[in-house]
Amino acid sequence: MALRPSSDTRELDRDERDEASSGLDRPEGHVDARPYPAGSSSGGEVSALRPREFARWLWRQLTSMRTALILLFLLAVAAIPGSLIPQERVDPSAVFLWQQKHPKLTPSFERFGMFSVFSSVWFSAIYLLLMLSLLGCIIPRLRVYARAVKQRPPRAPRHLSRLPAYDTWATDESVPVVADRARHLLSAQRRRLEVFGAAEPGDEREPRELVLSAEKGYLREAGNLLFHVAVVVVLVGVAATGLFGFKGSAAVIAGQGFSNTLIQYDDFTPGTRFDVSDLAPFSFTVDDFDVRWEREGAGRGTPVNFAAHLTVTDEPGATSYDYNLRVNHPLEVGGASVYLVGHGYAPRVTVRDGEGKVAFSGPAVFLPQDASFVSFGVIKVPGDTSTQLGFEGYFFPTAALCKGQPCSTFPDADNPVLSLIAYQGDLGLDDGQPQSVYVLDKSRMQPFKTPGGNPRALLLAEGETVKLGHGAGSITFDGYDRWVKLQINKAPGKVVPLVGVLAAIVGLLGSLFVRPRRTWVRIRRDTGRTVVEVAALDRVSGGDPAAHVAEVGEALRPAMTAGPGEHTRQEESP
Amino acid sequence: MTETLAQLSNNAMYSATVVYALAMLSHMAEWAMARTLPAVVTTSRSRAALVSAGRTTAPPENGRNAGVNEPNRRTVVGSVAAAPAEVERSDRFGRIGLSLTVLALLLHAVGVVTRGIAAERVPWGSMYEFSITSTLAVSSAYLFLVRRYKIRWLGLLVTGFLVMVLGLAVIVLYRPVGPLVPALHSYWLAIHVSAAAIAGGALTVGALASVLYLVRSAMETRALATPDKPRTGFLWRTPTAADIDRLSYRVHAFAFPLWTFAVLAGAIWAEYAWGRYWGWDPKEVWAFITWVVYAAYLHARATAGWQGRAAAYVALFGYATFIFNFVGINLFGSGLHAYSGM
């Protein structure tokens, strides 16, 4: 990240050996290579620095590669609890269960934001620092790169033989002949080329020495920069699209409708820049919900297909149309998207009071607890405060006894059974606190009991009626409906992160596979012959400059000269 | 027809596992027979060796590693050549191991393809299927690199890994051909999971190379302290630590963009299926962790004081997070990616 090619290999003449190795050790020549002003490196003297210098020092530390590296590790480690501890945003009911199970840990976990790790202060601190570190290194590098792109390849170091890849031979050809061949070869390989020592125009003498400097791989840094900029675009884009949109969900029972108003949502999270009055006036009915599970074989009980059949109206008065809503096939309407994210059963019951009058009738949404679709739910029957009825219990789609306990052996409703405990008393609906429709507040209610004094479980097969006793009335299990959980989102500009993602991948490929390389060919007259030297220096590790030098050497040698040279170094033959 | 093909697939997978095991035994024999053989410097950079045959080329190591390799080079110069017969014996077992690996790869490919045809979909809809597909990627990546960079020295580790994973797959993870859950009914399944499988294959080869690099570089460091100790055995006949490191980097550099792509394709699919790019589902969390650690690996290689062994440890840590995501989250975790069929 914090690579700053300021002290780079351009001043190679100064000390080839040193630079040659540093070019490999620190491929993109980064900030650690920069000498700090004396005193700033030892911690004790930091406080003695003036505030401005201290700020500079701090900034340089923050944007250094080592800090970025540490922040990356911290980010990885900080994400771990987010996968091990249930997260509020991912699965609120799992958080609830976890907290019930660990009452002692819960307060401290809550304090450290363990149930919302990814929006906690410490997690945000890490990634904001990382972003800052990234920007702090990208912006100066953009400037440096803009300059570097315009520069010509540098002069050759004095001692080419000290470079990591080197080849030399002598020939009887003249200097310009070899130089011409080299020039053709290197430009054919699309390298940026500079010739040093060329004769002035009009000078007819044959040059004694020509040096060709070639450079290739400018796109690596471009790719690198593009990647890092794209990462910022993606992160900012994701954050920004949330601001102008909203995210909500609603459970809709098959046969019922939904119109896009706030009151119809079970939960609704608007972005800070979203105005609720901007909700598009679309509506739809869920005509039907089809679901099919595998009935045979090892995959028995796994879902095969599910689809909700919708009739959609874009705005009041518009013609309606059908839409087959499935997973992976969201409905796009009024600038929002509607996703099918879950489904379940809604048992239909009729509750009669002591006089036989219907007090409640209709479906109640029960929440599936596991893959067998055993579902938990609550039925609230308001009435006079003292004699309100509440029911809590389970729906078993294919009821059976497993080890003496009621269970469901298949997710489809082959043998639906409702198992409820009835309560009487005050539901607590009138005390002004909003209540969840999935939770029964039993603090002011008493269960109906068996003669033995235990809460009485009411078991109802489809069509059955049970009397509650004590003249409290009866409950009938009429049947069941299915419901679908719909998620409705609006995220304007969600294409921005998408573009960022594509740019990031292109940039990443460039930054990993383009290899900046400098190649030098020096051709000079020496005691009656022409000595040719070829050397190359990779600015990143992982390449094979030796092979490149060998290739260039191969092409520049006239067919018949020098056999395996006496001049060549032979340190690494097997 | 489906039944027959499914059965054929199972038989092919059993056979492939057995043949990989034979290849592993053969590589073990290769190592065992090389026990007394002296060190050589082979190079994995075959192209360079070919092009520069007879000419020069300075040592490829950078300054940092040169010191480590120095004594090694001296060893070569000073060492007595091994008896050709003994070298040939070890080498023959290596070649047999390689041939068996090729044979096993063919059986393996048949197993994966017939599984896909039997299920009438891509063969990565459950944990078993992902295992056999991603190991196919491991095996293909290895054999490709054997052709390209002569990395047969990685044969024992690769075949050992394949035997272990395929053994677990056919014994523990096996599930009969079944339909896909509706959540996977999307062409994104082909894109997202195949990218993850291929990246996983490459990361595996990279991790195995990193292991060997750590061993070899420890040997080289120790050899500096005890220059008179004889250097014999298979591990002295592999390329130098610097060469192995270079290979490991190349493989990782290939795998990282692919892993990035797999994660991002997953995010795009998630936006399409669930209405959000990223929701910190456990699988997503660990995919992110893996990505961050490998990003750290690439940065570590460019940071003074982090190159070499430290970077290799980072890569192995990244691989551990990848494996945990596949095993731990599938078996013990929950969340939206619960497709393992376990």
Side-chain angles (χ1 to χ4, degrees):
Chain A
M1 229 152 270
L3 305 170
R4 197 170 294 169
S6 53
S7 68
D8 74 351
T9 37
R10 287 197 186 282
E11 306 152 52
L12 211 77
D13 274 347
R14 207 185 47 213
D15 186 344
E16 304 91 319
R17 186 69 182 183
D18 231 32
E19 289 294 344
S21 63
S22 92
L24 285 170
D25 275 358
R26 291 183 285 278
E28 282 131 3
H30 65 96
V31 81
D32 292 340
R34 237 186 187 193
Y36 289 120
S40 69
S41 55
S42 61
E45 288 169 65
V46 169
S47 54
L49 295 173
R50 278 170 293 143
R52 215 189 125 109
E53 280 174 21
F54 179 69
R56 279 178 62 118
W57 174 85
L58 208 65
W59 178 247
R60 209 176 282 161
Q61 288 299 309
L62 180 64
T63 55
S64 81
M65 181 78 124
R66 189 163 293 139
T67 307
L69 204 52
I70 290 166
L71 287 171
L72 275 172
F73 280 123
L74 277 178
L75 195 65
V77 172
I80 293 175
S83 75
L84 303 180
I85 301 164
Q87 295 295 297
E88 201 65 67
R89 264 186 56 197
V90 178
D91 193 350
S93 59
V95 173
F96 181 74
L97 289 175
W98 194 95
Q99 292 179 341
Q100 300 270 301
K101 239 201 270 174
H102 307 91
K104 277 194 186 141
L105 285 175
T106 300
S108 50
F109 270 44
E110 240 162 11
R111 183 140 23 93
F112 291 112
M114 283 297 179
F115 303 111
S116 48
V117 165
F118 302 106
S119 49
S120 68
V121 177
W122 46 275
F123 191 82
S124 312
I126 296 169
Y127 79 72
L128 286 177
L129 278 176
L130 196 56
M131 288 265 282
L132 202 62
S133 164
L134 191 122
L135 287 172
C137 110
I138 288 293
I139 293 167
R141 270 173 66 188
L142 280 169
R143 278 203 303 269
V144 170
Y145 181 67
R147 272 201 305 274
V149 168
K150 287 184 234 143
Q151 272 173 11
R152 307 300 307 166
R155 283 180 170 278
R158 198 168 305 118
H159 303 286
L160 284 179
S161 60
R162 290 186 189 168
L163 291 181
Y166 176 73
D167 191 5
T168 182
W169 68 91
T171 169
D172 292 325
E173 290 174 302
S174 74
V175 171
V177 168
V178 184
D180 246 22
R181 201 152 58 222
R183 182 163 40 222
H184 279 124
L185 175 73
L186 292 171
S187 22
Q189 294 174 342
R190 303 166 56 85
R191 285 165 210 279
R192 193 175 284 189
L193 197 61
E194 191 74 23
V195 183
F196 297 98
E200 297 290 317
D203 189 348
E204 294 296 317
R205 281 173 301 166
E206 195 167 89
R208 289 200 55 80
E209 174 172 314
L210 280 175
V211 182
L212 285 83
S213 291
E215 185 159 14
K216 192 176 181 163
Y218 290 83
L219 281 178
R220 181 187 188 89
E221 177 70 356
N224 201 333
L225 292 169
L226 176 64
F227 171 76
H228 286 101
V229 169
V231 168
V232 177
V233 168
V234 169
L235 293 178
V236 171
V238 168
T241 55
L243 290 180
F244 299 97
F246 66 87
K247 182 179 175 181
S249 70
V252 182
I253 294 167
Q256 298 189 357
F258 176 91
S259 64
N260 193 28
T261 53
L262 199 51
I263 198 163
Q264 299 250 322
Y265 283 92
D266 294 344
D267 61 83
F268 187 85
T269 318
T272 47
R273 308 303 302 272
F274 182 76
D275 184 352
V276 175
S277 62
D278 288 346
L279 278 173
F282 65 84
S283 64
F284 53 82
T285 54
V286 179
D287 300 324
D288 196 11
F289 178 63
D290 279 341
V291 58
R292 206 154 53 76
W293 283 275
E294 184 72 21
R295 292 203 162 264
E296 303 295 329
R300 188 170 188 274
T302 55
V304 176
N305 206 2
F306 44 81
H309 307 289
L310 309 186
T311 307
V312 188
T313 313
D314 283 346
E315 52 189 39
T319 3
S320 57
Y321 54 93
D322 292 341
Y323 191 84
N324 196 5
L325 184 67
R326 284 168 291 155
V327 184
N328 292 317
H329 291 84
L331 163 70
E332 305 287 334
V333 60
S337 308
V338 182
Y339 304 86
L340 177 60
V341 292
H343 63 98
Y345 290 100
R348 269 197 326 270
V349 297
T350 303
V351 180
R352 291 185 168 80
D353 62 17
E355 291 141 31
K357 272 200 308 196
V358 174
F360 174 90
S361 180
V365 169
F366 274 42
L367 300 175
Q369 304 295 298
D370 57 28
S372 74
F373 273 75
V374 171
S375 306
F376 176 82
V378 160
I379 300 160
K380 297 179 189 180
V381 187
D384 292 338
T385 336
S386 59
T387 58
Q388 289 176 339
L389 290 174
F391 300 86
E392 184 186 83
Y394 291 93
F395 173 83
F396 300 94
T398 301
L401 282 178
C402 312
K403 296 175 188 153
Q405 296 292 317
C407 65
S408 180
T409 53
F410 194 71
D412 208 350
D414 291 349
N415 176 30
V417 166
L418 202 50
S419 164
L420 298 172
I421 290 175
Y423 295 85
Q424 192 168 37
D426 182 0
L427 287 167
L429 295 173
D430 304 325
D431 56 9
Q433 293 285 334
Q435 264 195 11
S436 163
V437 293
Y438 304 116
V439 178
L440 191 63
D441 176 7
K442 292 175 295 225
S443 56
R444 281 164 287 181
M445 302 196 87
Q446 288 298 318
F448 288 84
K449 290 186 173 154
T450 58
N454 293 320
R456 177 181 165 210
L458 312 171
L459 273 183
L460 296 125
E462 206 171 350
E464 278 185 348
T465 302
V466 175
K467 284 206 158 41
L468 299 176
H470 307 292
S474 66
I475 179 167
T476 309
F477 176 24
D478 300 318
Y480 64 88
D481 285 327
R482 296 184 193 274
W483 56 268
V484 288
K485 171 107 184 246
L486 301 177
Q487 183 179 306
I488 303 169
N489 285 4
K490 183 172 177 174
K494 66 185 173 190
V495 68
V496 172
L498 204 62
V499 171
V501 158
L502 292 176
I505 289 182
V506 171
L508 188 58
L509 292 176
S511 78
L512 286 173
F513 296 119
V514 175
R515 297 189 184 288
R517 173 172 289 164
R518 288 175 181 166
T519 314
W520 290 281
V521 181
R522 175 179 284 141
I523 309 143
R524 64 188 152 85
R525 292 299 289 177
D526 189 11
T527 54
R529 299 197 78 193
T530 298
V531 176
V532 186
E533 290 177 288
V534 182
L537 174 65
D538 271 12
R539 305 194 54 209
V540 298
S541 55
D544 197 349
H548 166 66
V549 163
E551 222 170 315
V552 173
E554 190 92 339
L556 293 188
R557 276 187 171 85
M560 296 312 289
T561 29
E566 309 95 86
H567 299 279
T568 54
R569 255 195 289 166
Q570 198 98 49
E571 286 182 55
E572 209 217 2
S573 56
Chain B
M1 183 62 187
T2 299
E3 283 298 304
T4 325
L5 276 171
Q7 195 54 47
L8 175 63
S9 165
N10 293 349
N11 292 342
M13 289 316 303
Y14 284 130
S15 319
T17 312
V18 171
V19 178
Y20 279 129
L22 293 175
M24 180 184 75
L25 290 174
S26 190
H27 281 301
M28 280 178 173
E30 180 192 15
W31 282 48
M33 299 197 172
R35 218 179 47 229
T36 54
L37 298 181
V40 290
V41 175
T42 54
T43 171
S44 59
R45 298 173 304 109
S46 55
R47 211 168 68 87
L50 273 178
V51 174
S52 63
R55 292 216 182 95
T56 93
T57 52
E61 296 79 29
N62 58 33
R64 184 172 300 273
N65 290 316
V68 177
N69 289 319
E70 211 62 52
N72 193 6
R73 232 176 272 130
R74 273 206 302 274
T75 311
V76 180
V77 177
S79 72
V80 187
E86 285 172 24
V87 174
E88 167 57 22
R89 209 157 48 123
S90 165
D91 197 52
R92 191 187 309 136
F93 276 101
R95 291 198 304 270
I96 293 174
L98 186 62
S99 311
L100 286 171
T101 311
V102 173
L103 175 62
L105 174 81
L106 293 177
L107 289 165
H108 192 161
V110 168
V112 170
V113 170
T114 50
R115 174 87 181 186
I117 300 173
E120 296 172 355
R121 55 174 169 77
V122 289
W124 46 78
S126 66
M127 201 169 166
Y128 167 72
E129 290 178 348
F130 186 83
S131 301
I132 61 172
T133 305
S134 56
T135 44
L136 185 67
V138 173
S139 173
S140 315
Y142 162 69
L143 287 175
F144 170 77
L145 291 169
V146 167
R147 260 193 89 88
R148 180 95 186 254
Y149 297 120
K150 305 255 182 293
I151 62 155
R152 203 182 74 200
W153 40 268
L154 206 53
L156 181 59
L157 294 191
V158 171
T159 50
F161 174 86
L162 289 170
V163 170
M164 188 180 73
V165 175
L166 282 181
L168 281 174
V170 296
I171 294 164
V172 182
L173 304 175
Y174 179 76
R175 288 293 175 276
V177 171
L180 283 180
V181 295
L184 298 182
H185 291 179
S186 171
Y187 59 87
W188 281 104
L189 176 66
I191 300 169
H192 168 57
V193 185
S194 63
I198 297 170
L203 290 178
T204 304
V205 175
L208 294 176
S210 295
V211 169
L212 211 59
Y213 161 75
L214 286 172
V215 174
R216 170 83 196 212
S217 95
M219 282 166 55
E220 288 176 8
T221 314
R222 228 177 305 125
L224 274 180
T226 54
D228 301 327
K229 226 176 138 218
R231 280 158 212 169
T232 56
F234 186 83
L235 285 169
W236 278 116
R237 303 178 66 78
T238 64
T240 62
D243 276 340
I244 300 176
D245 188 43
R246 193 199 327 269
L247 175 92
S248 164
Y249 170 70
R250 280 185 177 167
V251 176
H252 281 117
F254 167 78
F256 184 73
L258 207 54
W259 180 250
T260 308
F261 174 76
V263 173
L264 295 178
I268 296 168
W269 186 10
E271 204 283 323
Y272 199 57
W274 301 322
R276 84 286 187 289
Y277 285 113
W278 198 262
W280 299 109
D281 177 69
K283 199 96 186 175
E284 294 173 356
V285 174
W286 282 90
F288 170 76
I289 293 173
T290 303
W291 188 83
V292 167
V293 175
Y294 278 110
Y297 163 77
L298 293 180
H299 285 94
R301 288 187 58 97
T303 307
W306 280 84
Q307 292 127 328
R309 299 181 63 83
Y313 280 119
V314 175
L316 288 179
F317 177 57
Y319 189 67
T321 66
F322 172 78
I323 290 298
F324 179 78
N325 199 4
F326 178 55
V327 179
I329 298 297
N330 275 13
L331 298 188
F332 315 116
S334 54
L336 294 163
H337 285 78
Y339 311 122
S340 66
M342 300 304 295

